[in-house]
């Protein structure tokens, strides 16, 4: 059909070479992934969601990220076992490098989450296209069903019933026996044509009785109404968690880093599990998009012949409309019934002048004209172009935009899982070596017994410096007091010593106290 038929008019204006479904490259790649069952035997990768073996193969593919989750958690456990008892202080430059690493990885994780949000939006738009196209197809099928039902009802309940009443009238005696036979023959021909038209209409409607997708569309709307905002909320929570880590790194907050370590484990678990779900779903959609018409044929009701579905999914000029023959029969029968009623309308008023046939004959002719209009509408409704365009919209929405969005979400969740795992590792390595700032040391006990309290925090050079200073003070004042030293009362000059009259600094974290500070 490519290049031989004009584009579908009245719709989106696809070019001539774009009026058939083409399998996207991404669907081909996903469909080419090997499918194995639980015994690791390769199985057929045709999309069959009702087949337990096929679902088993999808579950095995989805378990690969779950296995990676177990490996990452086990590695994190081993790391924490080696680091939880390590209390060796780290120099400032090593902590800084860890904080820079955390910041870079966190920004990359935010980018991956942003990719997931973009993919979620693409998937949402693709599913909306599918649902919208499905509603158009359901409306077209319902219209054909309703029109054929009206046609049948008009032919049976109105025309046939009135023809039976006319037949009873024409059974009366008349002087012109030849004209009466001609009248009865025309009436019988009308009844026979009406029966043919009714049977043809029933043949058109019967395959469509069980074909309804209203429930599927309603469930799809409800599911998408939950899935899209739910995914956005989950990804937003991951962004908030990344923001908490960045704040903890910037403010050197031990509590924020510990909070991320705890919540990060949940985020890692959720990201790996979502990766498994997206992987199995992407492969399933890729299998479906490899031949969506074949899936529709297998899912169709038994009453719906496969040639009808193939006609509307392909809309190829080489295929004849499966309803054309029955429609043609109905048209011919209605035309013959109208011609026969013309004969009846001419003869019956002459033979039965006092029977009041005018209203009955007028009603029958009006109903026949109504049937002709219904058949004209049915001819337009059963044309393949409108349904085929909706089919193309649905397949392209799912297999191009929707599948691309799903794959982007798969990549984003996989990247986020890896980056979050790295972030938890580095974060756990960072907060262990962050010490709380020691309080300012004051009081005579600290000054009198520096070695007893902070000796373990002082370097040998600081301890020697403090010892010499202590001996010098003992020679001058004898013992420590909280008052002024004698030199402050007797000499205007500063006392000798390394701190020029100030109390010794016992730690690099404590401020140097002047003697005046105690008064």
């Amino acid at each position: 059909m490519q290049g031989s038929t004009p584009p579908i008019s009245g719709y989106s204006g696809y070019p001539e070479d774009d009026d058939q479904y083409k399998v996207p490259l991404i669907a081909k790649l996903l469909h080419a992934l090997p499918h194995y069952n639980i015994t690791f035997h390769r199985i057929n990768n045709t999309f069959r969601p009702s087949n337990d073996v096929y679902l088993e193969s999808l579950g095995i593919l989805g378990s690969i990220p779950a296995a990676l989750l177990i490996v990452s958690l086990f590695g994190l456990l081993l790391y924490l076992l080696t680091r939880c008892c390590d209390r060796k202080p780290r120099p400032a430059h090593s902590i800084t490098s860890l904080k820079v690493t955390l910041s870079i990885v966190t920004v990359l994780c935010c980018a991956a989450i942003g990719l997931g949000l973009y993919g979620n939006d693409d998937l949402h738009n693709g599913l909306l296209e599918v649902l919208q196209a499905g509603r158009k197809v359901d409306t077209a099928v319902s219209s054909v069903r309703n029109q054929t039902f009206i046609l049948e009802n008009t032919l049976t309940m109105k025309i046939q019933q009135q023809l039976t009443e006319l037949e009873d009238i024409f059974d009366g005696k008349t002087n012109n026996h030849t004209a009466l036979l001609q009248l009865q023959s025309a009436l019988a021909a009308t009844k026979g044509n009406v029966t043919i038209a009714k049977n043809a209409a029933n043949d058109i409607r019967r395959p469509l009785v069980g074909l309804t997708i209203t429930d599927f569309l309603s469930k799809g709307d409800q599911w998408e109404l939950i899935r899209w905002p739910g995914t956005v909320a989950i990804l937003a929570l991951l962004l908030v968690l990344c923001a908490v880590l960045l704040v903890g790194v910037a403010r050197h907050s031990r509590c924020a880093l510990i909070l991320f370590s705890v919540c990060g484990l949940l985020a890692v678990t959720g990201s790996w599990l979502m990766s498994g779900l997206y992987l199995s779903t992407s492969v399933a959609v890729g299998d479906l998009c490899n031949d969506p018409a074949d899936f529709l044929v297998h899912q169709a009701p038994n009453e719906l012949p496969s040639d009808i579905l193939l006609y509307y999914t392909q809309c190829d000029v080489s295929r004849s409309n499966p309803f054309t023959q029955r429609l043609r029969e109905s048209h011919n029968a209605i035309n013959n019934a109208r011609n026969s009623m013309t004969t009846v309308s001419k003869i019956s008023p002459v033979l039965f002048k006092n029977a009041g046939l005018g209203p009955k004959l007028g009603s029958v002719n009006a109903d026949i004209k109504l049937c002709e209009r219904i058949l004209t509408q049915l001819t337009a409704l059963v044309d393949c172009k409108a349904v085929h365009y909706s089919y193309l919209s649905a397949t392209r929405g799912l297999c191009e935009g929707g599948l691309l969005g799903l794959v982007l979400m798969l990549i984003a969740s996989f990247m986020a899982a890896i980056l979050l795992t790295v972030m938890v590792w580095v974060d756990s390595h960072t907060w262990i070596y962050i010490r709380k700032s020691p309080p300012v040391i004051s009081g005579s006990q600290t000054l009198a017994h520096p070695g007893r309290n902070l000796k373990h925090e002082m370097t040998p050079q600081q301890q020697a410096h403090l010892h010499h200073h202590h001996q010098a003070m003992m020679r001058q004042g004898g013992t420590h007091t909280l008052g002024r030293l004698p030199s402050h009362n007797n000499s205007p000059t500063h006392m000798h010593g390394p701190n020029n009259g100030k109390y010794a600094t016992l730690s690099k974290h404590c401020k140097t106290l002047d003697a005046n500070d105690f008064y």
Side-chain angles (χ1 to χ4, degrees), residues 121-386:
D121 192 60
D122 275 356
L123 177 60
H124 178 67
N125 293 332
L127 292 178
L128 289 183
E129 274 191 65
V130 174
L131 295 174
Q132 184 179 4
R135 279 188 286 268
K136 290 181 179 179
V137 173
D138 191 57
T139 300
V141 173
S142 299
S143 298
V144 174
R145 247 191 335 253
N146 294 337
Q147 292 293 86
T148 52
F149 176 78
I150 294 173
L151 179 61
E152 280 188 81
N153 186 68
T154 302
L155 293 170
T156 304
M157 303 303 296
K158 293 184 178 182
I159 296 179
Q160 278 191 342
Q161 185 175 356
Q162 295 177 75
L163 291 178
T164 301
E165 294 176 359
L166 290 174
E167 188 177 24
D168 294 337
I169 296 174
F170 297 159
D171 285 340
K173 295 181 180 180
T174 180
N175 295 329
N176 192 339
H177 185 68
T178 302
L180 179 61
L181 291 177
Q182 187 179 2
L183 177 62
Q184 290 176 346
S185 177
L187 184 64
T190 302
K191 292 182 65 175
N193 286 310
V194 167
T195 301
I196 293 174
K198 181 190 69 173
N199 293 336
N202 183 264
D203 290 341
I204 295 174
R205 186 173 64 88
R206 189 188 309 114
L208 306 178
V209 171
L211 183 61
T212 176
I213 56 176
T214 304
D215 293 339
F216 171 78
L217 295 176
S218 299
K219 291 179 181 179
D221 285 329
Q222 295 174 0
W223 182 77
E224 186 60 17
L225 191 63
I226 297 173
R227 188 207 64 82
W228 182 73
T231 303
V232 172
I234 293 174
L235 296 179
L237 286 177
L238 290 180
L239 288 177
V240 171
L241 188 60
C242 292
V244 170
L245 180 60
L246 289 176
V247 170
V249 169
R251 297 179 61 86
H252 205 67
S253 173
R254 182 185 177 97
C255 293
L257 297 180
I258 294 176
L259 176 62
F260 177 83
S261 294
V262 176
C263 297
L265 290 176
L266 299 177
V268 168
T269 303
S271 297
W272 281 118
L273 294 180
M274 292 300 291
S275 298
L277 177 62
Y278 291 146
L279 177 59
S280 58
T281 305
S282 299
V283 173
V285 175
D287 294 338
L288 169 63
C289 293
N290 187 68
D291 192 356
D294 177 71
F295 171 71
L296 292 177
V297 169
H298 282 82
Q299 292 297 116
N302 296 329
E303 297 81 9
L304 184 64
S306 60
D307 60 331
I308 295 179
L309 279 173
L310 293 177
Y311 171 74
Y312 286 102
T313 55
Q314 297 179 7
C315 197
D316 198 339
V317 293
S318 63
R319 291 181 177 271
S320 60
N321 191 326
F323 298 117
T324 298
Q325 182 179 357
R326 309 306 290 169
L327 284 172
R328 187 180 295 114
E329 290 178 3
S330 294
H331 273 292
N332 294 335
I334 292 298
N335 288 333
N336 293 334
R338 179 169 49 82
N339 295 331
S340 299
M341 280 304 300
T342 301
T343 303
V344 172
S345 300
K346 289 179 179 179
I347 299 175
S348 59
V350 176
L351 297 179
F352 303 93
K353 296 180 181 180
N354 300 324
L357 298 177
K360 293 183 179 297
L361 295 174
S363 178
V364 172
N365 289 322
D367 289 336
I368 290 178
K369 291 181 179 179
L370 174 62
C371 292
E372 289 179 338
R373 290 196 298 269
I374 292 175
L375 285 173
T376 302
Q377 295 174 1
L378 278 173
T379 303
L381 286 174
V382 299
D383 186 74
C384 68
K385 291 182 180 179

Side-chain angles (χ1 to χ4, degrees), residues 89 252 254 433-442 446 453-458 462 505-512:
H252 205 67
R254 182 185 177 97
Y433 301 115
I434 293 181
R435 297 289 185 264
K436 294 181 179 180
S437 298
V440 177
I441 302 175
S442 61
T446 303
N453 294 286
L454 295 175
K455 184 176 180 180
H456 64 282
E457 293 189 3
M458 301 176 62
Q462 289 176 327
T505 300
L506 302 183
S507 172
K508 63 180 180 180
H509 299 292
C510 303
K511 83 171 190 177
T512 303

Side-chain angles (χ1 to χ4, degrees), residues 469 488 494-503 514:
H469 179 62
H488 290 99
H494 296 290
M495 61 179 282
H496 299 284
N499 292 311
N500 294 325
K502 299 179 181 179
Y503 287 96
D514 193 280

Side-chain angles (χ1 to χ4, degrees), residues 41 235 308 313 325 345-346 358 380 400 426 448 475-476 485 493:
H41 289 86
L235 296 179
I308 295 179
T313 55
Q325 182 179 357
S345 300
K346 289 179 179 179
E400 293 180 3
V426 178
R475 287 194 298 269
Q476 294 183 17
L485 294 175
T493 61

